[in-house]
Amino acid sequence: MSEKSSSSGSDEDVDPESGPPVEHGGVLSKWTNYIHGWQDRWVVLKNNTLSYYKSEDEREYGCRGSLCLSKAIITPHEFDECRFDISVNDSVWYLRAEDPDHRLHWIDSIELHKAESGYGSETSLRRHGSMLSLTSAASALSATSTSSFKGHSLREKLAEMETFRDILCRQVDTLQKYFDSCADGVSKDEFHRDRVVEEDEDDFPTTTPSTASTTTRPDGDYVHNNNGSKEKLFPPASPKGINGIDFKGEAITFKATTAGILSTLSHCIELMVKREDSWQKRLDKELEKRRRVEDGYKSAMNELKKKSHYGGPDYEEGPNSLINEDEFFDAVEAALDRQDKIEEQCQSEKVRSPRLASVPPGDPYSTMATHRFAAKVEENVENHMTYSLQDMGGDANWQLVIEEGEMKVYRREVEENGIVLDPLKATHSVKGVTGHEVCHYFWDTAVRLDWETTIENFNVVETLSDNAVIVYQTHKRVWPASQRDVLYLSAMRKIVATDENDPDTWLVCNFSVDHENAQPTNRCVRAKINVALICQTLVSPPEGDKEISRDNILCKITYVANVNPGGWAPASVLRAVAKREYPKFLKRFTSYVQEKTAGKPILF
């Protein structure tokens, strides 16, 4: 999965310290549903909103969903290093990045947008249109009626109060500096005046009548009057005041700020008084709801545990699944029961068109083929003829798990890296059909969907010869297990008996292969199989001169299966499902062959 990102913003328009975060976009995998699983989506983070599109090219068609991040909760997954979840109330998005670094980058970006989404700063107030000028706030002090605040919410007013508070704090600091400067200036002036008075008392100058009216000292700081008193000459006051502080301007601003606070506070009080009754009613309703919820909490939790459907990928198949083995088995069994009912209904309504079973000229089943997998086919055929037909009696490794009439199912428990790989072997005897007929219907892809109920779809990837094909098929999903697909070679062979008293053997072997036209996908888990259906026909002599009929033939069937599910699932569940499904498959398939061959010529 590729990860692309894009950002947009202007350095001239956005203050790097207080401007909103820039837009961010890229590809993330989003959990869609249980059918399609994880799908790549183009995700955009902009203006405190997370939106997603099917792809980057389809943005013009509009987003498929969006979340407001103001109250979003971002949760990195505990086990999956690439996954993180975003929840807003009851809505949850499950997302996966390309790698842990991209996940961290996305989480940081989302947290940044989320942090910038709150109220309380001048930047957010300007974005929301809540910033009032100081002049308008001062003028509003005398008019705090409800009509003057139409369209404003309590949240906006509280945000304005926070802004005024910040401004007021700065103005108080400025005024305090001015007052400190004034105090220092007064102290210095009084000290200097006292020193001058003391000096003049010690040395008082004489003056003539012509100059007694006024005398100015050379320094120009004092003037002596004819009565012997003296006055200090102060220079004209500067409009900026001491240290260049505009005291008048600061005072006006201070007055406007306090007026704005009082005005906004008055309106907040009005709003809270008006809403008190409605809030009390809401509180009473919420308390009543809480009582009902608390009363039904235990029963609701029990129902939740019993549910066979959960809302997220955490309940999927895997070693970290939140479902225990009992719940996993119950869910699988319930899904299989539903499939059985659907299949029974379809079979009752389905009218199958008759198909004639015939052997192609030249009997290609008895000779070795020449395709590129021919050697592998012969190796599998030889192994099955050597080991699969051996009697199970006396082998303590094989356990008899099912015995119904002529049918017996054996299992040998094998686990590798926690994955169940139990080989299974079943033996069965069916009257009225031959080994050739049974193997033909098992191998022929044209009739596969007539008897196979677990397949969702399949197709022939390549035809290697008249008796060998490569097949890709996907199986119906049984939740909570993941959906499986299989790519395998299916070959049908006839093994001629070396002793004339022994019957010929018909065999279909299916084993997994690789093919460039059917690569594994993220949608399904690729299972590996090695399956064989081995059949021999036993004929009892007819009475007198009668011809052999289907009453005189019996087919002995040996079915062996080695399946690697390709992923983890509880061992007890897999074994329980195998114990249930394999006998049903054999009964269903052999009954189908008997139905298709009834009244038709025997195909030896």
Side-chain angles (χ1 to χ4, degrees):
M1 179 183 66
S2 62
E3 175 80 18
K4 299 183 292 182
S5 63
S6 63
S7 299
S8 62
S10 172
D11 295 336
E12 297 178 357
D13 299 333
V14 178
D15 185 355
E17 295 182 355
S18 61
V22 296
E23 176 182 348
H24 178 67
V27 176
L28 292 174
S29 288
K30 182 178 182 296
W31 177 260
T32 55
N33 51 53
Y34 293 110
I35 297 178
H36 301 292
W38 296 97
Q39 295 290 329
D40 287 349
R41 294 289 182 259
W42 180 259
V43 181
V44 175
L45 181 60
K46 181 180 181 182
N47 294 336
N48 187 37
T49 302
L50 191 68
S51 308
Y52 78 92
Y53 306 80
K54 186 174 183 181
S55 64
E56 183 178 9
D57 297 334
E58 296 190 10
R59 292 187 63 178
E60 60 183 16
Y61 299 116
C63 70
R64 297 205 166 191
S66 61
L67 286 178
C68 179
L69 300 176
S70 298
K71 296 183 179 180
I73 299 175
I74 299 95
T75 308
H77 196 265
E78 183 179 0
F79 304 105
D80 191 340
E81 295 182 351
C82 298
R83 177 182 149 191
F84 61 99
D85 304 340
I86 302 177
S87 59
V88 179
N89 296 328
D90 296 333
S91 178
V92 183
W93 284 12
Y94 306 98
L95 303 172
R96 294 186 83 254
E98 181 181 7
D99 51 48
D101 292 337
H102 282 98
R103 181 184 79 167
L104 180 61
H105 177 65
W106 271 100
I107 292 177
D108 290 344
S109 299
I110 293 172
E111 290 288 1
L112 179 61
H113 276 255
K114 180 181 175 183
E116 289 292 327
S117 68
Y119 293 89
S121 66
E122 292 185 29
T123 303
S124 63
L125 287 172
R126 292 191 186 99
R127 287 202 299 271
H128 292 279
S130 305
M131 192 64 175
L132 297 179
S133 67
L134 295 176
T135 305
S136 63
S139 63
L141 178 60
S142 61
T144 57
S145 63
T146 305
S147 60
S148 64
F149 293 100
K150 290 183 178 179
H152 295 284
S153 65
L154 180 60
R155 179 176 294 182
E156 287 184 78
K157 291 301 173 183
L158 292 174
E160 289 167 9
M161 288 183 64
E162 290 191 18
T163 302
F164 287 135
R165 180 198 62 189
D166 296 338
I167 298 173
L168 184 61
C169 289
R170 292 195 295 269
Q171 292 171 345
V172 168
D173 292 339
T174 302
L175 291 174
Q176 185 62 50
K177 291 179 182 178
Y178 175 77
F179 296 146
D180 292 341
S181 300
C182 289
D184 292 341
V186 170
S187 299
K188 291 179 181 179
D189 181 64
E190 290 179 352
F191 176 75
H192 189 63
R193 187 190 296 271
D194 293 341
R195 287 187 59 186
V196 172
V197 170
E198 291 175 359
E199 291 175 358
D200 289 342
E201 288 177 352
D202 295 339
D203 186 16
F204 188 82
T206 58
T207 58
T208 62
S210 59
T211 61
S213 59
T214 15
T215 302
T216 305
R217 293 176 63 93
D219 56 8
D221 293 336
Y222 298 93
V223 61
H224 293 265
N225 298 323
N226 52 4
N227 59 359
S229 64
K230 53 188 175 182
E231 295 180 359
K232 185 178 179 180
L233 296 178
F234 292 97
S238 172
K240 289 292 184 180
I242 301 175
N243 296 333
I245 299 176
D246 185 2
F247 177 68
K248 184 176 181 180
E250 290 294 335
I252 295 174
T253 307
F254 182 76
K255 180 180 180 181
T257 304
T258 53
I261 292 177
L262 295 175
S263 174
T264 306
L265 183 59
S266 299
H267 181 61
C268 290
I269 294 173
E270 288 184 17
L271 288 176
M272 286 187 286
V273 170
K274 290 182 177 180
R275 294 185 181 181
E276 182 178 6
D277 293 338
S278 62
W279 287 345
Q280 185 62 45
K281 292 179 181 178
R282 288 184 183 180
L283 177 61
D284 294 339
K285 289 182 180 179
E286 291 299 325
L287 290 175
E288 182 62 28
K289 287 181 181 179
R290 181 173 180 176
R291 293 192 198 97
R292 292 197 298 265
V293 170
E294 288 177 349
D295 292 340
Y297 175 75
K298 291 183 180 180
S299 58
M301 289 300 296
N302 292 332
E303 289 297 324
L304 181 62
K305 291 180 180 179
K306 294 178 181 178
K307 288 176 65 176
S308 62
H309 181 79
Y310 297 77
D314 291 322
Y315 296 91
E316 287 292 283
E317 167 189 333
N320 300 318
S321 175
L322 299 183
I323 303 180
N324 58 44
E325 290 194 12
D326 292 338
E327 293 172 339
F328 200 106
F329 175 73
D330 291 342
V332 171
E333 188 174 41
L336 291 174
D337 288 339
R338 287 194 297 270
Q339 289 188 8
D340 290 344
K341 291 180 180 179
I342 294 173
E343 181 60 26
E344 290 175 3
Q345 183 178 1
C346 292
Q347 292 293 342
S348 62
E349 298 174 355
K350 191 176 185 181
V351 178
R352 300 189 182 99
S353 58
R355 296 185 178 91
L356 296 177
S358 60
V359 179
D363 189 10
Y365 305 104
S366 302
T367 58
M368 180 176 176
T370 58
H371 53 78
R372 64 181 184 279
F373 291 103
K376 186 68 174 177
V377 171
E378 294 303 316
E379 179 183 351
N380 276 274
V381 169
E382 183 178 350
N383 289 336
H384 286 303
M385 291 297 297
T386 303
Y387 301 107
S388 299
L389 292 178
Q390 291 179 353
D391 187 9
M392 294 294 99
D395 191 342
N397 293 326
W398 288 94
Q399 304 173 9
L400 179 64
V401 293
I402 290 290
E403 183 173 7
E404 296 181 6
E406 296 292 333
M407 182 190 304
K408 296 180 180 180
V409 179
Y410 301 87
R411 178 182 68 214
R412 183 158 53 88
E413 294 188 356
V414 176
E415 288 190 27
E416 183 176 329
N417 296 326
I419 299 177
V420 177
L421 304 176
D422 293 355
L424 281 112
K425 181 175 181 179
T427 59
H428 195 24
S429 297
V430 183
K431 292 183 179 180
V433 294
T434 66
H436 188 180
E437 292 169 336
V438 172
C439 287
H440 168 74
Y441 285 107
F442 186 75
W443 177 82
D444 189 2
T445 57
V447 298
R448 179 69 52 82
L449 295 180
D450 286 350
W451 57 268
E452 179 59 274
T453 61
T454 65
I455 293 178
E456 184 176 273
N457 56 64
F458 80 99
N459 64 285
V460 177
V461 178
E462 182 180 354
T463 301
L464 300 173
S465 64
D466 291 339
N467 66 330
V469 293
I470 295 178
V471 177
Y472 171 77
Q473 65 188 31
T474 56
H475 290 265
K476 296 176 182 177
R477 186 177 182 200
V478 180
W479 190 89
S482 302
Q483 188 172 22
R484 258 66 178 182
D485 64 357
V486 186
L487 179 67
Y488 63 93
L489 186 151
S490 182
M492 180 175 172
R493 287 293 312 278
K494 176 184 178 182
I495 311 300
V496 180
T498 55
D499 189 337
E500 62 180 8
N501 294 324
D502 294 334
D504 295 337
T505 301
W506 286 87
L507 180 146
V508 176
C509 61
N510 299 338
F511 57 91
S512 293
V513 294
D514 296 324
H515 199 283
E516 59 182 4
N517 294 336
Q519 298 293 333
T521 64
N522 293 331
R523 181 171 177 266
C524 298
V525 176
R526 178 64 56 89
K528 302 291 184 181
I529 65 169
N530 190 342
V531 176
L533 182 71
I534 307 169
C535 302
Q536 293 178 331
T537 305
L538 303 180
V539 181
S540 59
E543 297 179 0
D545 296 334
K546 294 182 179 179
E547 294 184 355
I548 297 176
S549 66
R550 293 195 175 274
D551 294 333
N552 303 119
I553 58 178
L554 177 70
C555 181
K556 294 183 63 177
I557 300 174
T558 301
Y559 179 79
V560 292
N562 292 271
V563 179
N564 183 339
W568 181 92
S572 60
V573 175
L574 290 179
R575 286 167 180 153
V577 170
K579 182 178 178 180
R580 160 184 166 152
E581 291 301 309
Y582 277 105
K584 288 172 56 179
F585 150 71
L586 278 177
K587 290 179 181 178
R588 182 174 62 249
F589 172 67
T590 53
S591 297
Y592 169 79
V593 176
Q594 287 177 319
E595 175 189 339
K596 296 300 292 183
T597 56
K600 295 180 180 178
I602 301 175
L603 185 63
F604 287 101

